[in-house]
Amino acid sequence: MSVETTVTTKIIRLMNNSGSFQDTETTADNVGELRAAMDLQGTVVVNDVVADDSKVLRGQETSDNGDVAYAGDRVSHVSGNKRGGN
């Protein structure tokens, strides 16, 4: 008897210590899984709100005719103690 496992990928918009968001495929369902998969050690912000590991990630969604209805969550990661300014 075999057991089948379905792995669902989703597209989020990730800014990982860079200056712009990039479409990124992931199988992570929440911030904690994304941290583990991508070895993210710093602060993670989802849609402009600091997120804990239980925050569920919403991927890109398309309408029935294939148009992008939702581009996917905007996820930012800053690894250091960056505060901006001089």
Side-chain angles (χ1 to χ4, degrees):
M1 181 195 279
S2 67
V3 175
E4 292 184 28
T5 302
T6 302
V7 176
T8 304
T9 60
K10 62 182 80 172
I11 297 173
I12 59 171
R13 295 174 293 153
L14 178 65
M15 182 188 311
N16 186 8
N17 288 318
S18 66
S20 63
F21 289 96
Q22 302 293 321
D23 285 352
T24 304
E25 283 191 12
T26 183
T27 59
D29 288 324
N30 59 46
V31 170
E33 291 177 9
L34 185 67
R35 279 184 185 283
M38 300 189 76
D39 193 31
L40 304 179
Q41 301 297 317
T43 302
V44 175
V45 176
V46 178
N47 298 327
D48 302 323
V49 177
V50 175
D52 66 15
D53 287 354
S54 65
K55 169 69 176 156
V56 174
L57 297 173
R58 183 176 165 200
Q60 186 180 80
E61 299 170 1
T62 55
S63 64
D64 290 338
N65 62 359
D67 294 332
V68 175
Y70 181 72
D73 283 344
R74 287 184 336 275
V75 180
S76 305
H77 170 251
V78 179
S79 62
N81 189 12
K82 298 183 181 182
R83 295 178 170 238
N86 291 331

